[in-house]
Amino acid sequence: MSKNGVEKKAKNSSVLIGAAFIMATSAIGPGFLVQTAKFTNDVKANFGFVILVSVLLAMIVQLNVWRVLCVSELRGQDVANRLLPGLGYFVAFLVALGGLVFNIGNVGGGALGFNALLGIPKMAGYFISGGVAIAIFLLKNATKAMDTLTKVLGGCMIIVIFIVILIVKPPIGLAVKDTFLPSESMKNLIPAILTLLGGTVGGYITFSGAHRLIDAKITKEENLDEINRSSIMGIGIATLVRILLFLAVLGVVVKGIALAAENPAADAFRKGAGEIGYRFFGLVLLSAAITSIVGAAYTSVSFLKTFNKNIEKHEKWVIIGFIVISTIIMAIAGNPATLLILAGSLNGLILPVTLGICLIASQKKSIMGESYKHPKVLLILGIIVVVITAYLGVVSLGSLTKLFS
């Protein structure tokens, strides 16, 4: 292989890993930590089964979406516009709005992380969190810096949570048993499965890595094997962190220790590993928040940039503006509870819409090309997931009433 060929392969490998990490770390935000701790507290070792089922469903979503987008070389909104002119604008609006609202929560999570780790006041933490994310996009090679940041902080989270597991010594045997033979009724586990699915591949999250590959021109059928590997790697990283966090929290709650409802993840780390555990949690939360701010801003703007050449031309500054707006709203609102209710409802609606669009597109030669054949198994499983997530979307609409109560 020539020197240029070796360099291209190394560059592609870096982008493929970076795409996997940006998807995974977009999923691993402050909400991810709270969800995992809350459900582990509620259903104990049975949460292993919840993780298993949600991961299988998430893989179906991710493989379908990434294959369609990368083979067609079209971003999510462009695929939608090819199917039905104007539909892409609706999808872009939903995804960008959901991304903005979640980003407000991510900025708040970053402030809480700085507070737990270093004792920095929350108001200062909002602006420091936003500033760190902005600094990434001010660098000359922002996309490479983004890839590096998500890899480093993602690895940091894994190491820190693993250390806490060694301290709390969770019952691994019980966790394995209840993962495959849950003792809890399915009725009590289904809401957790649906919540985890939305939190892993809902809204902008599943598109983040695919759009990164499109930007890097790693597309078309000839690169399908690499695209699939990157897609599965992204789900795998998010799942690894979820499992480690589950075990860390399980090691605390099986001892009969109740977790504080307002911040169950922080409470689990503190009660399981003392003050150093609480500091560790601050580092995990900070890493999760910063990487999620970067991922949400990058992906939300990628949904908007093809509609206006000025947005694409000044993409870096639009992303920075997106982060600035998120930070200012968080600083003014202080507690974005109402916005997060809206975001949850939007996320519940976005996944079945976008996955449904990708499944229909997968059967259109005008979009996918004459030679591409979408695997029937993926198509059938994808349809099942659309039905499941559509149900979640309808249920999530009920939370909108809280906005006006």
Side-chain angles (χ1 to χ4, degrees):
M1 187 181 288
S2 67
K3 183 181 177 183
N4 285 345
V6 171
E7 287 176 353
K8 184 181 178 184
K9 187 174 181 181
K11 183 182 177 183
N12 281 2
S13 294
S14 178
V15 171
L16 289 161
I17 295 169
F21 266 93
I22 192 174
M23 175 267 141
T25 53
S26 291
I28 307 164
F32 175 103
L33 303 178
V34 173
Q35 283 173 9
T36 304
K38 180 191 179 301
F39 287 127
T40 304
N41 188 43
D42 291 346
V43 299
K44 307 300 187 288
N46 293 280
F47 189 62
F49 177 78
V50 173
I51 294 174
L52 177 64
V53 175
S54 64
V55 166
L56 294 175
L57 294 175
M59 278 192 179
I60 294 166
V61 174
Q62 185 110 315
L63 285 169
N64 272 300
V65 172
W66 282 38
R67 286 178 74 101
V68 170
L69 267 58
C70 291
V71 171
S72 69
E73 299 182 89
L74 297 170
R75 294 181 183 86
Q77 72 275 19
D78 298 322
V79 169
N81 266 342
R82 287 282 187 93
L83 280 179
L84 180 66
L87 181 59
Y89 293 93
F90 172 70
V91 170
F93 172 76
L94 272 183
V95 172
L97 179 60
L100 174 64
V101 177
F102 274 111
N103 226 27
I104 295 166
N106 291 335
V107 170
L112 291 174
F114 273 118
N115 182 260
L117 182 63
L118 301 170
I120 294 172
K122 280 192 279 188
M123 183 58 73
Y126 299 147
F127 291 100
I128 296 172
S129 299
V132 170
I134 287 169
I136 297 299
F137 292 103
L138 285 174
L139 295 173
K140 187 176 180 182
N141 193 337
T143 51
K144 186 176 180 182
M146 180 177 66
D147 289 347
T148 302
L149 177 82
T150 52
K151 289 176 199 172
V152 171
L153 292 185
C156 176
M157 283 188 276
I158 291 169
I159 292 168
V160 169
I161 298 170
F162 185 71
I163 292 170
V164 174
I165 288 173
L166 295 178
I167 295 170
V168 300
K169 299 185 175 79
I172 305 292
L174 178 63
V176 171
K177 181 186 82 67
D178 281 2
T179 294
F180 297 99
L181 295 169
S183 54
E184 188 75 48
S185 72
M186 285 302 297
K187 182 182 176 182
N188 293 333
L189 298 179
I190 286 174
I193 292 169
L194 295 176
T195 301
L196 254 65
L197 181 62
T200 306
V201 288
Y204 68 89
I205 298 168
T206 194
F207 293 98
S208 54
H211 284 196
R212 175 72 185 97
L213 293 182
I214 290 171
D215 285 344
K217 309 264 190 263
I218 300 178
T219 52
K220 300 182 180 177
E221 275 188 81
E222 64 203 54
N223 289 311
L224 255 181
D225 287 345
E226 290 179 312
I227 291 163
N228 286 339
R229 277 198 299 273
S230 181
S231 172
I232 292 169
M233 188 190 302
I235 294 291
I237 294 163
T239 303
L240 175 60
V241 176
R242 181 88 75 180
I243 291 169
L244 292 176
L245 187 59
F246 156 57
L247 291 173
V249 177
L250 182 65
V252 177
V253 298
V254 291
K255 295 167 185 170
I257 298 171
L259 301 182
E262 63 273 10
N263 199 340
D267 202 37
F269 275 62
R270 175 172 260 161
K271 287 175 177 174
E275 195 59 30
I276 191 170
Y278 184 64
R279 301 293 178 189
F280 277 164
F281 173 76
L283 182 57
V284 171
L285 179 57
L286 180 59
S287 300
I290 296 295
T291 52
S292 290
I293 292 169
V294 169
Y298 170 78
T299 311
S300 297
V301 172
S302 76
F303 265 87
L304 300 174
K305 69 181 183 180
T306 52
F307 295 146
N308 188 302
K309 287 186 178 177
N310 286 324
I311 293 176
E312 186 165 14
K313 185 179 177 183
H314 304 290
E315 180 184 9
K316 177 173 77 173
W317 296 107
V318 177
I319 290 171
I320 288 170
F322 189 91
I323 297 170
V324 168
I325 291 168
S326 303
T327 304
I328 291 171
I329 293 174
M330 183 67 239
I332 293 171
N335 183 359
T338 302
L339 289 170
L340 289 173
I341 292 169
L342 175 60
S345 298
L346 283 172
N347 234 21
L349 290 168
I350 292 168
L351 182 53
V353 170
T354 51
L355 177 57
I357 287 168
C358 287
L359 292 176
I360 296 169
S362 72
Q363 305 304 300
K364 302 281 186 184
K365 292 191 181 297
S366 59
I367 294 174
M368 303 304 298
E370 292 295 325
S371 62
Y372 178 76
K373 287 185 175 21
H374 198 70
K376 292 288 183 201
V377 174
L378 270 183
L379 177 64
I380 293 166
L381 292 173
I383 292 169
I384 293 169
V385 176
V386 167
V387 173
I388 293 171
T389 52
Y391 168 76
L392 168 64
V394 172
V395 171
S396 73
L397 277 175
S399 66
L400 283 174
T401 59
K402 296 177 186 176
L403 290 171
F404 309 103
S405 60

